Amino acid sequence: FFVIVHLPLGVRMDRQPHTQKIGHSPALEASVSALKSALEVRTREHLPDAWTESQVSLGAALETLGRFEANIARLEEAVATYSAAVSAAARHLVLLQLATAGLRRSLDSLNACRRA
């Protein structure tokens, strides 16, 4: 329940136009806090796709907050958060490539057997 209620806050807050000064640092802070709490439930081990989505949302919220505050530490945290998400997503890409290659080989073998 916590994740469903609080995760959209982070997604909504990071989608504000970057040219518009939000001035709601407390709302962005709440977003970051909620997303970090969500990541305690959405663990990489148990919910890898949800974890990656949460990492991306957290990275966006940290980036937005860091830009508005000109806060290097926040921006560095955003970079680290996005990097973790990229690492997890890359694993899925490799699995997709392996599965696609296996599918192609299987289809080629099936078609060859049907022609023989």
Side-chain angles (χ1 to χ4, degrees):
F1 178 75
F2 179 85
V3 174
I4 294 170
V5 170
H6 289 90
L7 186 59
L9 172 65
V11 174
R12 276 197 313 272
M13 291 306 299
D14 82 271
R15 291 192 179 148
Q16 294 295 321
H18 297 308
T19 57
Q20 175 184 356
K21 179 109 173 130
I22 291 177
H24 296 318
S25 284
L28 281 170
E29 290 285 351
S31 175
V32 168
S33 179
L35 286 161
K36 286 181 177 181
S37 294
L39 284 164
E40 292 176 17
V41 176
R42 295 176 141 199
T43 64
R44 186 174 185 169
E45 295 77 26
H46 294 102
L47 298 165
D49 292 340
W51 179 87
T52 302
E53 291 171 8
S54 295
Q55 287 288 102
V56 169
S57 293
L58 177 59
L62 288 165
E63 178 188 0
T64 301
L65 191 57
R67 268 199 330 253
F68 288 136
E69 295 176 345
N71 185 324
I72 291 173
R74 290 276 193 199
L75 292 170
E76 288 174 341
E77 189 177 0
V79 168
T81 302
Y82 275 130
S83 293
V86 166
S87 172
R91 178 181 170 274
H92 291 292
L93 180 58
V94 169
L95 292 175
L96 176 62
Q97 290 170 337
L98 289 172
T100 302
L103 175 60
R104 269 193 217 115
R105 282 192 312 272
S106 294
L107 286 170
D108 290 344
S109 296
L110 176 61
N111 288 330
C113 283
R114 285 182 175 162
R115 280 182 285 214

